[in-house]
Amino acid sequence: EEPVFMDSVLTAKSVQQLTVYLQKKGYYNAYVTDSIHLRKQKAVVVYQLHPGEPYKIRSISYSTKDDGMDTILARLKNSSLIIAGQNPDEDILDKERERLTADIRDNGYYFFNKTLKYAPLGFSSMDDISFLMPAIAFAGLSPFGQVFVQFIIV
């Protein structure tokens, strides 16, 4: 069996990945330390996670300049996957983005894409989460204008 060598670059990468994971789960001030203990010809790596206080979601809001989309988003807010008091988990925020995108498309905004961003407003341990819809326009038209089907011929 070939010998395995201790690689400090991989250890540093693991520290970075663990830190990113904690931050994606709402622990924005988290950090990870590592220590290497040598015993005879073996190395044992110990990672210590220091998550700190988690951020919590205080409220959620949607920002758009389209009245039709405002109506859809107001209806969707009641079934949001994001709940006040929970950590701002990146995975849940992504699922919420996907859910909003699918429902907005189902309501005639066929060209709407998952470009909506979320932004924590403020830098305290309680965040107000705001979903920001793209505010781009071309030729005076909304890029995500609602489409209505008038006739279907079978």
Side-chain angles (χ1 to χ4, degrees):
E1 194 174 310
E2 288 187 35
V4 177
F5 294 99
M6 175 65 201
D7 189 343
S8 60
V9 173
L10 290 177
T11 304
K13 188 173 182 176
S14 294
V15 166
Q16 182 183 19
Q17 289 173 331
L18 287 166
T19 302
V20 167
Y21 176 81
L22 287 170
Q23 290 172 345
K24 284 185 169 192
K25 296 299 179 186
Y27 295 89
Y28 296 136
N29 298 317
Y31 66 96
V32 177
T33 58
D34 67 328
S35 56
I36 301 170
H37 304 284
L38 300 174
R39 294 190 183 131
K40 296 183 183 179
Q41 291 188 0
K42 293 188 179 194
V44 176
V45 181
V46 176
Y47 298 98
Q48 286 191 325
L49 283 63
H50 306 275
E53 286 294 317
Y55 279 50
K56 299 290 182 187
I57 296 171
R58 181 176 27 215
S59 65
I60 182 170
S61 63
Y62 302 98
S63 176
T64 179
K65 296 184 184 209
D66 184 307
D67 292 338
M69 203 177 289
D70 281 340
T71 304
I72 295 166
L73 292 171
R75 179 178 44 81
L76 292 174
K77 189 173 181 180
N78 293 332
S79 58
S80 178
L81 302 174
I82 302 169
I83 301 167
Q86 74 182 18
N87 293 9
D89 184 321
E90 291 285 331
D91 295 329
I92 293 173
L93 292 171
D94 282 342
K95 286 178 185 173
E96 179 71 357
R97 251 193 304 264
E98 290 169 7
R99 184 184 76 87
L100 292 174
T101 299
D103 210 304
I104 289 168
R105 284 181 181 165
D106 287 348
N107 281 278
Y109 291 87
Y110 300 114
F111 301 107
F112 187 82
N113 57 35
K114 197 178 142 182
T115 58
L116 57 130
K117 308 278 189 232
Y118 81 91
L121 305 176
F123 297 99
S124 67
S125 61
M126 290 291 282
D127 276 345
D128 295 314
I129 299 295
S130 181
F131 277 90
L132 309 171
M133 306 299 166
I136 328 168
F138 56 92
L141 301 172
S142 168
F144 306 117
Q146 194 168 17
V147 176
F148 296 97
V149 177
Q150 292 182 346
F151 300 101
I152 298 177
I153 300 172
V154 182

